[in-house]
Amino acid sequence: MPEPTKKEENEVPTPAPAPPPEEPNKEKEAGTAPPKDEEEVFPPNALPPGLCSRALERKDSEWSLGESPATEEQEKQNANSQLSTLFVEKPQTGKVKVGGNITFIAKVKAEDLLRKPSVKWFKGKWMDLASKAGKHLQLKETFERQSRVYTFEMQIIKAKENYAGNYRCEVTYKDKFDSCSFDLEVHESTGTTPNIDIRSAFKRREVKQQEEEPEIDVWELLKNANPNEYEKIAFQYGITDLRGMLKRLKRMRRVEKKSRAFAKILDPAYQIDKGGRVRFVVELADPKLEVKWFKNGQEIRPSTKYIFEHKGSERIMFINNCALTDDSEYYVTAGDEKCSTELFVREPPIMVTKLLEDTNAYCGERVELECEVSEDDANVKWFKNGEEIIPGPKSRYKVKVEGKKHTLIIEGATKADSAEYSVMTTGGQSSAKLSVDLRPLKILTPLTDQTVKLGKEICLKCEISENISGKWTKNGLPVQEGDRLKVVHKGRIHKLVIDSALIEDEGDYVFTPDAYSVTLPAKVHVIDPPKIILDGLDADNTVTVIAGNKLRLEIPISGEPPPKAIWSRADKAITEGSGRIRAESYPDSSSLIIDTAERDDSGVYKINLKNEAGEAYANIKIKVVDIPDPPVAPNVTDVGDDWCIMNWEPPVYDGGSPILGYFIERKKKQSSRWMRLNFDLCKETTFEPKKMIEGVAYEVRIFAVNAIGISKPSMPSKPFVPLAVTSPPTLLAVDSVTDTTVTMKWRPPDQIGAAGLDGYVLEYCFEGSTSEKQSDENGEAAYDLPAENWIVANTDLIDKTKFTITGLPTDAKIFVRVKAVNAAGASEPKYYSQPILVKEVIEPPKIRIPRHLKQTYIRRVGEAVNLVIPYQGKPRPELTWKKDGAEIDKNQINIRNSETDTIIFIRKAERSHSGKYDLQVKVEKFEENASIDIQIVDRPGPPQVVKIEDVWGENVALSWTPPKDDGNAAITGYTIQKADKKSMEWFTVIEHYHRTNATITELVIGNEYYFRVFAENMCGLSEDATRTKESAVIAKDGKVYKNPVYEDFDFTEAPMFTQPLVNTYAIAGYNATLNCSVRGNPKPKITWMKNKVAIVDDPRYRMFSNQGVCTLEIRKPSPYDGGTYCCKAVNDLGTVEIECKLEVKGGLSFCRLLLQGVPPNIIDSYLRDLQSSNPEEY
């Protein structure tokens, strides 16, 4: 592959490096190049013989691997790439020998890039090398994280000749683009001077022997090849601009079309020797057309160089005295058409008239190699061992041209310059050998040993007989120049100067002249008094170490010779060895080592240095810090329902570091799991844990924290139980008042909590010592009074909900409040709503008969009777009990009276205790009476007589008389049993039979039976039964059965209430029902009345009658619905009525109190008190 070069027009005698391939030639810069669409290209086979390869070489040399001139888009792209800052290092043009390796490197800065940029390598314009990677081509990429630079490498392995050419590297990142072109030159590795054509040498191409292989016409190959084989041909013959050549082929085919303006066009190419004359001829189809001639896009005017002739339809242009500048493209226009051609100007060969001569020289001398050529200012090439010498500003080789004389100058020759040098022209060449030898060296002034003090200047000086350079080494290593170290070479004198000598400057220095085996040695010795370097310590030379850790205190020291270090503490030397505290010495440092530091290791340590130059010492304070000691067990000073307040004292020893704060943990007493309460350090010595479970025992502990760590936990606190006071007592009311006492009663608190309830405290104060205020919490009046004005009525806690305050002055008014007390303390007080007057008030008596006692109270014999009848009245009323109008025998019936109720108690009831009991309650002149019916029942006696009335077939008719003793209760039925006379085992035939006669059926014929009957009431069967005296024999012979004659039973019955109405209470707003049961035949008509007025078509009432059960439903009654209700039953046989009283209690208070089990009489008293105190609300 030919190497990329630029076409050279104005050649100078001294060869210069080829410019970059993308730089256009001077004529292109001047704007003389024709537009791309007007360019006409002809195949090389249309050229004169011998010009085919030259034409290709010329095109390649002009456009770098056959590239066409850059378009505007490419120029913009190149301009953008020049402005871009993606590349921080671009690949550079390189050379390599055949079979050698070469690497091209491109670097991209990634500071502003979010991802890796995309990089592509191309050969020429279109060949992407990513698909060619393999044995001879490798692409690599790396990324340096510290410098944030991407490095992309293209390595060519075992290069071949066709690898030479122009390459391009493109990098893209989003909208950024950058590209760089570079050349690769591949040279033959032969040591002899090749036979090169001079034009190819000037274009810096590798010379090939033209005779080695026949010339191949690539144009013909492309014209005749299948399009699928274009790339194969391009790769085989090193074509890089395949697309451009295909475009030129396309235009060549278009040229074959017949022209309307030209009858005969220009030949594709012309060739002329330098200084010759060339003739261009075209023949016009129309002689009247105007013809213009152009060279590289510029119109040619007639002159002595350019001569125009017209011969009929022929138009002729002569170019006289052709020079190399005339080597270009020409075209002629006629009308709208044009035809073009190319002119190739050959230069005559230049001969070497004076050959080079072999030369001998000494190292350091100036060497000149001279030759002469046949023409002035001719271009020649110089070679060393077959490789071209390229002079330059930084090169040791210089070329001087004086007319026909050419001289190669080598400044300061060295042994490496010994080689075979040759010169080459277009018509000849010459070579000669150069031999460079060394002169004998003499040491005029040797180096001398020196001893200097630290900081002084060191100067090593020597003088040799030759003016040559040399190398300085220190201890066998090369000496590097710097700000402090200077190497001076003036003629034959060599100096090594070191400013401000340091310890590391000591050593063996040797100067070695270049190219000689002679050495000049010298020793430098630097001395320095000992020094202790404490720059790494604090201002007070304090070293802090954590207890338990290993301390290795390394103190840098200096001094020459190295000083001896001695460590001590309290005038006691620390030896070097294997102890826990020991010292270690090194040439540049001394170390104090403490294994597993302890608190007692804190103190001042002394280091002493000593050498022959002096002595130095320093004191170092070592501070051993540790985690703090655990604090003392905390104290819990106050507790609540789910919180407590705790405090503690700081630990005695803070570990040598200030306490930063504390961590608090808690656990249940029975648990072993501790829970951290704070995640941010508590700075204070008090803390309030929360969210504990009431009634559960807890323990707390403390951790102290300093900069070193967390201490061990403190001892747990004493167990404590979060407890809460109860809610205030409820329903505080006045029970009774006398002239000197006030009795208060209340209900327990709604919320008691886990602490339970220990008792109550009742307090009072006199009116006039308080300022009344309204409480927002419960809507009742409260009183703002200091605690010392309240008088405690009970010195000890009471567990009852009633207490009498004694010793009060008559006619005084007092305020009363009560508190509930438990282990957590006293609750909020419950205040009575108004002041209480200490004066006995007469209250008429009233008996509150319980609902179940308004009917007959029935108990069995032997059961206990315990009846509680509440009553009211003040002062305490007198009570009198009578039974059936007579005084009660207190030996059989116990009567117990209290302030609010009276109790009848019979331990074992007997039938004699049945009867009507009358109660009279009397307060002064007021009295009230009430009656209670008590019925003591027992099992009945057996029926009196059981008879067999008749026997027929398998049936027996029985009859009996009711028992004489019904057990003080109605007979509810009979049980009939039979027994076979043979076995006398009794079997029940009929149970719960209501009549006094019965027919026993399905008896076994031939058996003889006895029968017995038990009476039954609400208490059960009678203990004994009455048996038939005779037996009934079921005869086998049949008898004529006579049907008994029965009289028709009269089922008619006057109305009768079997279950009466009962006086009852109703709650305002809640439906109430009145129930009773009635029987009668015919079915009676039921009528309900209120206060003797019939209830008819009133939507507030609903009446039901089902199976004799009559129900009156009152929908959401109000207090006005209270009164006397009557149920009336009427049929043809009679009329019967039954009454009851309905009292409607108002509001939810009554309902709530009733559901809580408060007796109705107490509820009435409480509601009356509220009504009397706040009449406006009722």
Side-chain angles (χ1 to χ4, degrees):
M1 181 183 298
E3 70 178 62
T5 58
K6 176 185 172 184
K7 176 181 177 181
E8 299 178 6
E9 295 180 355
N10 301 328
E11 298 177 352
V12 295
T14 304
E22 56 267 67
E23 181 182 352
N25 59 28
K26 297 181 180 178
E27 291 182 354
K28 303 295 181 185
E29 292 176 355
T32 60
K36 187 174 180 180
D37 56 353
E38 298 179 3
E39 181 183 4
E40 296 291 342
V41 182
F42 296 91
N45 58 0
L47 300 176
L51 290 182
C52 178
S53 60
R54 289 190 57 219
L56 286 178
E57 291 172 2
R58 185 180 181 279
K59 286 295 180 184
D60 290 345
S61 64
E62 182 174 356
W63 296 115
S64 299
L65 295 174
E67 295 180 5
S68 61
T71 62
E72 294 181 1
E73 295 180 358
Q74 293 172 341
E75 292 176 356
K76 292 181 180 179
Q77 185 176 1
N78 293 337
N80 292 336
S81 65
Q82 293 174 1
L83 296 176
S84 175
T85 57
L86 291 178
F87 277 122
V88 295
E89 181 179 330
K90 298 182 179 181
Q92 303 297 324
T93 297
K95 299 180 182 180
V96 66
K97 293 182 179 180
V98 174
N101 301 338
I102 188 170
T103 302
F104 297 95
I105 299 176
K107 294 186 178 181
V108 178
K109 194 72 172 179
E111 287 183 350
D112 301 330
L113 307 184
L114 300 179
R115 57 182 176 83
K116 186 182 72 174
S118 175
V119 172
K120 293 184 178 180
W121 299 85
F122 295 92
K123 182 176 182 183
K125 289 186 59 178
W126 62 276
M127 184 183 293
D128 190 349
L129 297 179
S131 61
K132 307 297 182 181
K135 181 171 64 173
H136 295 283
L137 177 66
Q138 292 184 2
L139 303 179
K140 299 180 181 179
E141 57 184 46
T142 58
F143 178 67
E144 298 179 5
R145 296 187 178 274
Q146 295 181 352
S147 59
R148 295 192 60 79
V149 172
Y150 286 98
T151 301
F152 300 92
E153 298 181 3
M154 180 182 73
Q155 185 178 8
I156 297 177
I157 304 172
K158 296 183 179 179
K160 298 181 180 180
E161 294 178 2
N162 60 349
Y163 291 179
N166 179 258
Y167 291 80
R168 188 172 75 258
C169 177
E170 290 184 359
V171 57
T172 56
Y173 176 78
K174 291 186 177 179
D175 56 345
K176 296 182 179 181
F177 173 81
D178 201 353
S179 67
C180 174
S181 297
F182 56 95
D183 295 330
L184 171 63
E185 298 180 13
V186 181
H187 299 283
E188 290 185 352
S189 57
T190 178
T192 60
T193 302
N195 186 14
I196 311 174
D197 181 67
I198 188 62
R199 291 182 62 85
S200 301
F202 287 158
K203 295 179 174 108
R204 298 176 63 186
R205 297 176 53 203
E206 184 92 3
V207 178
K208 294 185 180 179
Q209 295 293 338
Q210 301 295 333
E211 295 78 16
E212 291 181 358
E213 57 185 36
E215 192 173 282
I216 298 175
D217 193 343
V218 181
W219 293 99
E220 286 297 329
L221 287 177
L222 292 175
K223 286 175 62 178
N224 301 323
N226 190 319
N228 296 333
E229 298 179 354
Y230 284 163
E231 291 190 2
K232 180 179 179 181
I233 296 173
F235 183 78
Q236 182 177 358
Y237 294 100
I239 300 174
T240 59
D241 191 13
L242 178 61
R243 294 182 182 178
M245 296 187 70
L246 294 177
K247 289 181 181 179
R248 292 162 68 186
L249 276 176
K250 187 175 181 181
R251 285 199 295 269
M252 288 168 54
R253 290 167 182 164
R254 287 202 303 265
V255 171
E256 295 175 359
K257 296 180 181 180
K258 186 175 181 180
S259 174
R260 290 179 298 177
F262 295 99
K264 180 181 179 182
I265 63 174
L266 294 172
D267 292 337
Y270 295 85
Q271 182 176 359
I272 192 67
D273 291 334
K274 182 179 179 182
R277 181 183 185 190
V278 66
R279 177 175 177 266
F280 294 151
V281 179
V282 295
E283 185 176 347
L284 300 177
D286 184 4
K288 297 180 181 181
L289 292 176
E290 183 181 358
V291 175
K292 292 183 179 180
W293 295 87
F294 294 88
K295 172 185 177 182
N296 291 334
Q298 292 184 351
E299 186 177 357
I300 303 174
R301 299 296 181 182
S303 64
T304 57
K305 186 174 182 67
Y306 301 100
I307 301 174
F308 300 105
E309 289 185 3
H310 292 191
K311 290 183 179 181
S313 61
E314 290 185 351
R315 300 294 183 263
I316 305 171
M317 181 182 70
F318 294 94
I319 303 176
N320 298 322
N321 194 18
C322 290
L324 292 178
T325 56
D326 296 325
D327 190 319
S328 61
E329 179 187 25
Y330 295 85
Y331 65 90
V332 59
T333 62
D336 295 335
E337 295 187 16
K338 71 174 182 178
C339 63
S340 61
T341 186
E342 287 197 52
L343 174 62
F344 295 90
V345 180
R346 291 188 304 181
E347 188 177 7
I350 298 173
M351 307 302 293
V352 180
T353 58
K354 183 180 178 180
L355 301 179
L356 296 176
E357 297 180 357
D358 294 340
T359 306
N360 295 324
Y362 288 110
C363 290
E365 290 182 346
R366 175 188 174 103
V367 177
E368 295 182 0
L369 299 177
E370 296 180 358
C371 71
E372 292 182 5
V373 295
S374 58
E375 292 188 10
D376 292 340
D377 299 330
N379 285 334
V380 300
K381 293 287 185 179
W382 291 89
F383 296 88
K384 175 185 178 182
N385 290 335
E387 294 186 5
E388 183 183 354
I389 298 175
I390 301 175
K394 298 182 179 180
S395 176
R396 295 177 54 250
Y397 301 97
K398 296 182 181 179
V399 176
K400 184 173 65 172
V401 180
E402 297 175 349
K404 298 180 181 180
K405 183 179 180 181
H406 292 257
T407 306
L408 176 64
I409 302 173
I410 304 174
E411 298 287 350
T414 63
K415 294 189 69 175
D417 294 328
S418 297
E420 182 180 3
Y421 291 83
S422 59
V423 63
M424 183 178 298
T425 64
T426 57
Q429 64 179 7
S430 176
S431 62
K433 291 184 179 180
L434 172 63
S435 177
V436 182
D437 297 326
L438 296 175
R439 290 181 180 178
L441 183 67
K442 295 181 181 181
I443 300 175
L444 304 178
T445 304
L447 295 178
T448 59
D449 295 340
Q450 294 187 17
T451 299
V452 297
K453 291 185 178 180
L454 187 68
K456 300 298 181 179
E457 182 182 82
I458 302 174
C459 182
L460 298 177
K461 178 181 177 182
C462 66
E463 183 179 359
I464 57 179
S465 59
E466 297 296 331
N467 182 13
I468 59 175
S469 60
K471 295 180 180 179
W472 289 88
T473 59
K474 173 189 172 184
N475 297 330
L477 300 177
V479 174
Q480 302 293 334
E481 283 194 78
D483 296 337
R484 199 173 54 85
L485 191 146
K486 302 293 182 181
V487 175
V488 181
H489 176 203
K490 291 183 179 180
R492 297 178 297 178
I493 298 176
H494 295 266
K495 288 184 181 181
L496 177 63
V497 181
I498 303 175
D499 293 336
S500 301
L502 302 177
I503 299 299
E504 55 266 24
D505 294 332
E506 182 174 298
D508 295 333
Y509 290 83
V510 175
F511 174 74
T512 304
D514 291 341
Y516 290 91
S517 58
V518 179
T519 58
L520 287 78
K523 290 185 177 182
V524 176
H525 181 56
V526 180
I527 62 173
D528 184 30
K531 291 182 181 179
I532 301 175
I533 303 173
L534 302 175
D535 296 341
L537 302 182
D538 297 338
D540 55 352
N541 295 340
T542 300
V543 177
T544 303
V545 62
I546 300 174
N549 289 358
K550 179 179 180 179
L551 172 64
R552 183 181 183 89
L553 178 59
E554 185 173 346
I555 304 298
I557 61 175
S558 64
E560 187 61 30
K564 182 179 180 181
I566 299 176
W567 289 85
S568 62
R569 178 187 180 191
D571 297 333
K572 184 178 179 181
I574 299 175
T575 60
E576 297 183 6
S578 59
R580 190 176 64 87
I581 301 178
R582 62 186 182 276
E584 292 182 359
S585 296
Y586 301 95
D588 57 348
S589 65
S590 180
S591 300
L592 175 65
I593 300 173
I594 302 178
D595 292 332
T596 314
E598 300 175 356
R599 294 182 184 178
D600 296 338
D601 295 335
S602 298
V604 177
Y605 291 76
K606 182 178 181 181
I607 179 174
N608 188 28
L609 301 180
K610 188 175 182 181
N611 69 353
E612 62 184 20
E615 186 176 358
Y617 68 92
N619 292 326
I620 299 174
K621 182 179 179 182
I622 294 179
K623 181 180 180 182
V624 180
V625 296
D626 198 358
I627 60 174
D629 288 344
V632 183
N635 295 322
V636 178
T637 58
D638 194 7
V639 296
D641 54 348
D642 67 343
W643 56 271
C644 73
I645 296 177
M646 55 184 290
N647 55 37
W648 61 90
E649 295 295 330
V652 178
Y653 175 65
D654 61 1
S657 181
I659 298 296
L660 301 178
Y662 302 89
F663 284 122
I664 298 92
E665 290 185 350
R666 77 165 182 230
K667 75 174 183 68
K668 297 177 183 177
K669 183 180 178 182
Q670 303 300 329
S671 173
S672 61
R673 180 176 173 268
W674 289 91
M675 182 177 69
R676 177 69 57 84
L677 299 183
N678 63 318
F679 293 97
D680 295 330
L681 289 176
C682 177
K683 306 296 184 180
E684 307 295 333
T685 56
T686 60
F687 190 74
E688 182 179 352
K690 296 181 179 180
K691 297 182 180 180
M692 292 183 284
I693 302 175
E694 184 179 0
V696 177
Y698 286 90
E699 293 177 349
V700 291
R701 66 182 184 181
I702 311 297
F703 293 85
V705 181
N706 62 3
I708 308 305
I710 304 175
S711 70
K712 294 182 179 179
S714 67
M715 293 298 294
S717 66
K718 294 181 179 180
F720 64 93
V721 180
L723 297 174
V725 297
T726 66
S727 61
T730 59
L731 300 178
L732 178 61
V734 178
D735 185 65
S736 64
V737 180
T738 66
D739 292 340
T740 59
T741 63
V742 173
T743 301
M744 304 298 296
K745 57 184 178 180
W746 60 89
R747 296 291 297 167
D750 293 335
Q751 298 178 358
I752 294 179
L757 180 62
D758 295 340
Y760 301 93
V761 173
L762 192 67
E763 298 177 339
Y764 69 93
C765 66
F766 293 96
E767 186 182 30
S769 61
T770 64
S771 59
E772 185 174 347
K773 71 175 183 179
Q774 189 68 23
S775 173
D776 294 334
E777 179 181 356
N778 49 25
E780 299 177 357
Y783 308 96
D784 187 11
L785 190 68
E788 58 269 13
N789 291 348
W790 288 93
I791 303 171
V792 179
N794 55 316
T795 55
D796 298 328
L797 293 179
I798 57 175
D799 54 359
K800 296 182 179 180
T801 57
K802 185 176 181 180
F803 189 77
T804 300
I805 305 174
T806 59
L808 299 174
T810 306
D811 295 333
K813 289 185 178 182
I814 62 172
F815 295 99
V816 179
R817 68 182 185 184
V818 63
K819 298 179 182 178
V821 181
N822 64 3
S827 69
E828 292 293 326
K830 174 67 176 178
Y831 294 90
Y832 188 67
S833 59
Q834 59 186 2
I836 303 171
L837 178 62
V838 185
K839 185 175 181 181
E840 191 169 12
V841 180
I842 296 176
E843 180 182 344
K846 189 173 183 180
I847 301 174
R848 301 288 186 181
I849 299 296
R851 181 184 300 179
H852 66 284
L853 295 181
K854 291 182 180 181
Q855 304 175 11
T856 301
Y857 184 76
I858 301 175
R859 281 290 182 269
R860 294 183 181 182
V861 173
E863 292 182 347
V865 177
N866 188 15
L867 302 179
V868 180
I869 294 83
Y871 66 88
Q872 294 177 346
K874 294 182 181 179
R876 185 170 181 173
E878 297 178 359
L879 282 79
T880 303
W881 281 97
K882 290 184 179 181
K883 176 187 175 187
D884 298 328
E887 295 292 333
I888 293 177
D889 186 0
K890 295 184 177 180
N891 294 327
Q892 295 183 358
I893 301 174
N894 295 325
I895 304 295
R896 286 180 289 183
N897 299 326
S898 67
E899 295 180 356
T900 58
D901 54 31
T902 179
I903 300 174
I904 295 180
F905 179 72
I906 303 174
R907 187 175 300 277
K908 290 184 178 181
E910 297 178 359
R911 292 175 62 179
S912 60
H913 294 149
S914 301
K916 182 178 181 182
Y917 290 77
D918 298 320
L919 170 63
Q920 184 183 57
V921 181
K922 186 176 182 181
V923 177
E924 294 185 357
K925 62 180 180 178
F926 303 98
E927 66 178 26
E928 183 162 337
N929 298 310
S931 298
I932 299 174
D933 292 329
I934 299 178
Q935 182 179 356
I936 307 300
V937 297
D938 197 2
R939 289 193 293 179
Q944 297 182 25
V945 177
V946 179
K947 297 179 181 180
I948 298 176
E949 296 290 343
D950 193 8
V951 178
W952 74 98
E954 299 176 356
N955 306 310
V956 174
L958 299 177
S959 65
W960 60 88
T961 56
K964 185 176 182 180
D965 182 10
D966 60 0
N968 203 22
I971 298 299
T972 58
Y974 299 94
T975 298
I976 305 168
Q977 295 181 346
K978 68 178 179 179
D980 190 357
K981 184 178 181 181
K982 297 177 182 179
S983 61
M984 288 308 291
E985 292 184 4
W986 294 97
F987 298 94
T988 300
V989 179
I990 300 176
E991 289 182 321
H992 311 303
Y993 192 72
H994 296 286
R995 298 179 183 178
T996 56
N997 51 64
T999 299
I1000 310 303
T1001 62
E1002 297 181 357
L1003 298 175
V1004 179
I1005 297 176
N1007 288 354
E1008 186 175 356
Y1009 292 93
Y1010 286 95
F1011 300 92
R1012 66 180 183 184
V1013 178
F1014 290 89
E1016 183 180 5
N1017 65 3
M1018 62 182 298
C1019 294
L1021 296 175
S1022 60
E1023 294 182 0
D1024 299 325
T1026 302
R1027 196 181 75 170
T1028 57
K1029 294 181 179 180
E1030 64 277 3
S1031 63
V1033 178
I1034 307 302
K1036 296 182 180 180
D1037 298 332
K1039 292 183 180 181
V1040 178
Y1041 178 72
K1042 296 180 179 179
N1043 290 327
V1045 179
Y1046 296 102
E1047 295 181 358
D1048 292 337
F1049 187 79
D1050 186 8
F1051 289 99
T1052 60
E1053 183 181 9
M1056 180 181 67
F1057 284 98
T1058 59
Q1059 181 68 32
L1061 292 174
V1062 179
N1063 294 337
T1064 185
Y1065 296 95
I1067 302 170
Y1070 292 86
N1071 292 355
T1073 57
L1074 301 177
N1075 300 291
C1076 65
S1077 61
V1078 65
R1079 74 182 182 185
N1081 191 19
K1083 183 178 179 180
K1085 179 181 179 181
I1086 306 300
T1087 303
W1088 287 90
M1089 294 178 289
K1090 175 188 176 185
N1091 297 331
K1092 304 300 183 179
V1093 177
I1095 300 173
V1096 180
D1097 297 333
D1098 192 335
R1100 293 185 299 109
Y1101 299 94
R1102 295 177 62 189
M1103 291 167 280
F1104 306 94
S1105 178
N1106 184 16
Q1107 300 294 327
V1109 178
C1110 302
T1111 303
L1112 175 65
E1113 181 181 0
I1114 307 170
R1115 297 182 176 179
K1116 297 183 179 180
S1118 65
Y1120 300 102
D1121 291 324
T1124 302
Y1125 286 81
C1126 175
C1127 182
K1128 181 178 179 181
V1130 180
N1131 69 358
D1132 296 339
L1133 299 181
T1135 301
V1136 65
E1137 296 181 358
I1138 190 169
E1139 296 180 349
C1140 72
K1141 290 183 179 181
L1142 174 65
E1143 186 174 356
V1144 180
K1145 302 295 183 179
L1148 297 175
S1149 298
F1150 182 85
C1151 176
R1152 183 171 68 252
L1153 296 175
L1154 190 63
L1155 293 176
Q1156 292 178 356
V1158 181
N1161 61 324
I1162 297 177
I1163 300 175
D1164 286 340
S1165 174
Y1166 172 70
L1167 294 178
R1168 279 199 301 272
D1169 293 342
L1170 291 180
Q1171 185 175 4
S1172 61
S1173 61
N1174 299 307
E1176 295 179 358
E1177 298 181 3
Y1178 295 87

